[in-house]
Amino acid sequence: MENFPNYAGYGQSPTVCVNHPDRVSYAQCGRCNRAICGECQVNQGAGTVCPECYRELNGGTSKPKGSFIARHWHISYTLILITAAIYGLQQIIPNQWVVKHGAIWWPYVQHGEYYRIISYGFLHAQNDPMHLVWNMINLFIYGVSLERMMGRWKFLVVYLGSIVFGAFGVYVLAPGTSVVGASGGIFGLMGSFMTLLIIMKQKDTARVFALITAANVIYSLLTPSNISHACHAGGFVGGVLLTLLFVPFVKKPESSEPPQQSPQQWLNGRY
């Protein structure tokens, strides 16, 4: 599957979009109850419907397709471009001015510079471009998949919220340190991804993912470097909590097949 490889190897059947069988989906049309992905969801009145029901409810009018960019561009790409552009400013503006005025350092936050709980997540080590590169690779890997699973705006809230949680992780566990980097948000995406795996009952895949994550954490703990484990921990917890917050608002079918309906219910739903 596109978002969760190796389904076949575990003998599991994920919920997939009725129009895009290569896309995992845990939302469904509020009218006919068929599983639909983020691209197929259309807001209609009090709920979300599939394109077919939208046409029926609007006299045959199709869902507006929008431009190719609107349909295929992801917020993850925008976040990567913004972060890369800010790193360019770090190199252009002398005396590390951007880092000094954007890094998370709680004495400054407590004196009114509240923007730092977000801005630090878009800055990176001034003399270590690989800090930026590895974080952006992970943002691409987890971000695009989570956008397709959760929807663009829920994903954005989880990412930015995880950065904020990472800042509070620093406040609780290492209040005397100054931190920059998107790692809080990245670990939040990892926590969100694992949470969705468990919710969708992909236990074997979640177990493998957890082992890989644990190995990375242990390696970072044993490697002498300027890594903010407090920020990572806060971001991970934030990703899990924010994902759990959104789950009750998303209808999740139990299988990839639409629910069984009586002939009359089917007719009422389709006509």
Side-chain angles (χ1 to χ4, degrees):
M1 284 298 157
E2 185 174 356
N3 294 323
F4 295 108
N6 301 326
Y7 269 123
Y10 294 110
Q12 298 168 332
S13 297
T15 302
V16 297
C17 175
V18 67
N19 297 319
H20 302 94
D22 61 334
R23 299 183 187 178
V24 173
S25 173
Y26 60 98
Q28 64 183 130
C29 174
R31 186 165 180 258
C32 68
N33 295 326
R34 296 189 300 174
I36 48 177
C37 66
E39 183 178 336
C40 292
Q41 296 172 21
V42 188
N43 291 324
Q44 175 67 35
T48 301
V49 296
C50 64
E52 290 76 12
C53 287
Y54 180 86
R55 284 195 294 269
E56 292 172 8
L57 293 169
N58 292 274
T61 303
S62 299
K63 172 188 175 184
K65 292 184 177 180
S67 66
F68 177 86
I69 292 179
R71 286 183 285 120
H72 295 277
W73 187 263
H74 296 282
I75 287 180
S76 302
Y77 302 158
T78 303
L79 292 171
I80 290 171
L81 288 175
I82 291 174
T83 307
I86 292 176
Y87 191 74
L89 291 177
Q90 289 182 229
Q91 305 305 313
I92 294 173
I93 301 177
N95 300 320
Q96 299 191 22
W97 185 91
V98 178
V99 172
K100 291 177 181 178
H101 288 80
I104 184 69
W105 197 53
W106 276 97
Y108 285 162
V109 175
Q110 292 168 330
H111 281 82
E113 297 182 13
Y114 304 115
Y115 66 88
R116 289 177 179 267
I117 65 175
I118 287 287
S119 63
Y120 85 95
F122 291 87
L123 306 178
H124 286 83
Q126 187 82 14
N127 299 317
D128 183 11
M130 293 308 298
H131 184 211
L132 170 73
V133 170
W134 285 119
N135 277 341
M136 293 304 97
I137 289 175
N138 282 291
L139 176 54
F140 172 78
I141 292 172
Y142 295 109
V144 173
S145 293
L146 284 171
E147 278 192 68
R148 291 169 178 162
M149 295 161 61
M150 304 179 66
R152 293 182 176 182
W153 303 115
K154 293 185 182 71
F155 158 76
L156 182 61
V157 171
V158 169
Y159 181 73
L160 296 180
S162 297
I163 290 176
V164 174
F165 270 87
F168 281 101
V170 173
Y171 175 74
V172 173
L173 300 175
T177 59
S178 178
V179 178
V180 295
S183 300
I186 300 301
F187 270 75
L189 298 185
M190 294 169 67
S192 177
F193 195 79
M194 182 179 296
T195 302
L196 289 178
L197 284 173
I198 295 172
I199 290 171
M200 299 181 72
K201 300 180 180 179
Q202 305 304 317
K203 296 181 180 180
D204 291 328
T205 308
R207 188 179 298 111
V208 173
F209 181 76
L211 290 173
I212 294 173
T213 303
N216 287 330
V217 171
I218 293 172
Y219 176 78
S220 66
L221 288 172
L222 297 177
T223 302
S225 59
N226 295 322
I227 297 176
S228 177
H229 303 294
C231 183
H232 293 177
F236 189 89
V237 171
V240 172
L241 294 179
L242 290 169
T243 303
L244 291 174
L245 176 66
F246 285 130
V247 166
F249 299 99
V250 181
K251 295 180 179 179
K252 175 183 174 295
E254 293 298 327
S255 69
S256 58
E257 297 296 328
Q260 294 295 321
Q261 297 177 322
S262 67
Q264 186 60 44
Q265 287 176 318
W266 188 86
L267 288 173
N268 290 339
R270 302 303 297 168
Y271 301 100

